[in-house]
Amino acid sequence: MNESGKYTIANIPGDGIGNEVIPQGQRVLEYLAELSEGKFEFEFTSFPWGSDYYAEHGLMMAEDGLEQLKAFDAIYFGAVGWENVPDHVSLWGLRLAITQNFDQWANIRPVHFYSGVKSALNYHDLESLDWVLIRENSEGEYSGFGGRNFTGRGPGKEIAVQSSVFTEEGCERIIRHAFEVARTRTRKKVTSATKSNAQQYGMVLWDEVFDRVSKEYPDVETERWLVDALAARFVQRPDTLEVVVGSNLIIDILSDLGSALAGSLGIAASANLNPEGRFPSMFEPVHGSAPDIAGKGVSNPIGAISSAVLMLEHFGLTEEAALAHRAIEQAVSDGNVTADLGGTLDTTQVTDAILANIAALQPALAKA
Ligand code: GGG
């Protein structure tokens, strides 16, 4: 916790259902602050950036947007992507503009298997599964180097080059982070997701760094898997996974697979961390803007609320984070969920149930 107990949060709901779920996470944070009786408080500032902003201003965020964001303790982000802006323009103009420029190099994506949620996995002990996927978030396939040329040669003759960049420092810091996370867990195991048989430069460097760093963590079990075989293992041997670390694109894909296997993309949380604290970190649900359900009030707020829980942990408010997490678990096991999880509640009603659970669990916590 910081000394003043006051945390400034920049809300960027962005596009589509980002505008529905971020206010729900804010409700939970505000309620916890109210219960703390002055121990801590949050001050929210909302930024209207996203695809609508682009339609008006030709930019996804204000020109001095990064300068404005620097002053905050954290960023709470919804989703980006809408039909009026090409996806690569909206992603690079907002989410990636923030993660790359603020060097939020560690993207933590827990995959939690909630009791009471129907999983696509045919596994006898789903509740024992609890993975953390760790995504390198600053380079790799998302380095943004490349170009297109030769359109002048006529139809069918254009070329495009997209280069991946793997730096030894970039690989080392995220791999080391994964080992540190593994050390906090009961089963200490890190799986490295790689594709070094085909990507013989960048991913061979990745593998070499993984092997070198792993020697410093003899207490942590390690393994390296080619991502194609690893994707199959997510389905066939889910019990063998614990902490999985990989490049930007690989973990982006595996984390969608993981949360779909855990029941829904709507429950997946993430933290984009700048662990050195030079810049604010950013917390966001893994899901996107979901145009198919946007505006209907039925989006699942759990991914966004769980991302707010990760923010609480980042602030050192660990008891409050645990309380909110238990309140979410309770709502899910009571069936107080949206349609993606087989329920009938709308977005606001799910949050109402979570707030009621916090109220009910809070006295027990105070006595503990
Ligand atoms: N809240 C996450 C979000 O909006 N994601 C949009 C997206 O397309 N992300 C791609 C990526 O993170 O690689």
Side-chain angles (χ1 to χ4, degrees), residues 240-299:
T240 62
L241 302 172
E242 195 71 31
V243 173
V244 181
V245 64
S247 68
N248 222 321
L249 182 62
I250 283 182
I251 297 294
D252 186 34
I253 296 168
L254 288 181
S255 56
D256 271 31
L257 171 65
S259 37
L261 292 174
S264 168
L265 236 68
I267 56 179
S270 84
N272 300 283
L273 303 177
N274 171 246
E276 297 82 10
R278 279 182 64 218
F279 299 100
S281 293
M282 180 163 81
F283 301 83
E284 57 163 348
V286 169
H287 65 68
S289 59
D292 54 331
I293 55 163
K296 297 184 178 159
V298 297
S299 53

Side-chain angles (χ1 to χ4, degrees), residues 77-80 91 95 109 135 142 252 284-289:
F77 188 85
V80 65
L91 191 67
R95 183 186 175 276
R109 295 185 158 194
R135 174 186 186 186
Y142 281 52
D252 186 34
E284 57 163 348
V286 169
H287 65 68
S289 59

Side-chain angles (χ1 to χ4, degrees), residues 11-43:
N11 279 2
I12 309 175
D15 297 331
I17 64 168
N19 293 284
E20 300 170 26
V21 296
I22 291 303
Q24 304 305 318
Q26 178 172 337
R27 283 178 69 200
V28 172
L29 291 173
E30 281 173 339
Y31 186 52
L32 289 166
E34 191 186 316
L35 291 175
S36 84
E37 294 178 344
K39 183 176 135 202
F40 60 89
E41 61 181 299
F42 301 111
E43 184 185 290

Side-chain angles (χ1 to χ4, degrees), residues 29-259:
L29 291 173
E30 281 173 339
Y31 186 52
L32 289 166
E34 191 186 316
L35 291 175
S36 84
E37 294 178 344
K39 183 176 135 202
F40 60 89
E41 61 181 299
F42 301 111
E43 184 185 290
F44 295 90
T45 305
S46 203
F47 293 91
W49 301 333
S51 296
D52 284 349
Y53 187 90
Y54 185 91
E56 215 178 307
H57 303 274
L59 290 169
M60 288 297 293
M61 66 194 295
E63 217 158 338
D64 67 344
L66 292 172
E67 227 22 68
Q68 293 188 48
L69 291 174
K70 262 185 197 164
F72 287 86
D73 291 314
I75 302 165
Y76 192 30
F77 188 85
V80 65
W82 205 250
E83 61 187 10
N84 61 336
V85 185
D87 284 339
H88 64 282
V89 173
S90 58
L91 191 67
W92 276 96
L94 192 56
R95 183 186 175 276
L96 290 180
I98 297 169
T99 57
Q100 305 263 19
N101 284 298
F102 284 176
D103 203 15
Q104 294 167 346
W105 50 265
N107 184 200
I108 312 302
R109 295 185 158 194
V111 178
H112 188 67
F113 285 76
Y114 288 94
S115 164
V117 171
K118 195 168 172 304
S119 164
L121 282 177
N122 180 17
Y123 183 67
H124 67 280
D125 189 13
L126 287 168
E127 282 170 51
S128 68
L129 304 176
D130 193 32
W131 307 327
V132 181
L133 273 57
I134 298 188
R135 174 186 186 186
E136 200 298 314
N137 213 30
S138 66
E139 53 178 44
E141 307 87 343
Y142 281 52
S143 298
F145 288 111
R148 294 171 63 164
N149 213 341
F150 300 154
T151 46
R153 290 183 182 179
K157 298 290 184 197
E158 188 176 1
I159 66 156
V161 173
Q162 183 90 44
S163 298
S164 297
V165 175
F166 288 83
T167 67
E168 192 164 356
E169 278 180 354
C171 297
E172 178 159 350
R173 65 184 180 177
I174 193 69
I175 287 168
R176 204 171 276 289
H177 196 84
F179 277 96
E180 293 297 331
V181 170
R183 273 195 169 156
T184 66
R185 298 169 65 85
T186 310
R187 179 167 64 165
K188 296 169 182 33
K189 177 175 182 182
V190 179
T191 302
S192 169
T194 181
K195 192 63 190 170
S196 49
N197 55 348
Q199 304 283 299
Q200 75 271 49
Y201 307 116
M203 290 209 181
V204 171
L205 176 64
W206 171 279
D207 287 356
E208 287 172 7
V209 174
F210 183 77
D211 291 347
R212 171 166 62 74
V213 172
S214 66
K215 291 194 175 68
E216 292 175 41
Y217 294 84
D219 51 320
V220 180
E221 192 188 334
T222 61
E223 58 182 1
R224 278 207 243 134
W225 274 66
L226 295 175
V227 63
D228 41 347
L230 185 60
R233 233 178 85 200
F234 268 61
V235 178
Q236 292 169 336
R237 287 299 312 274
D239 54 314
T240 62
L241 302 172
E242 195 71 31
V243 173
V244 181
V245 64
S247 68
N248 222 321
L249 182 62
I250 283 182
I251 297 294
D252 186 34
I253 296 168
L254 288 181
S255 56
D256 271 31
L257 171 65
S259 37

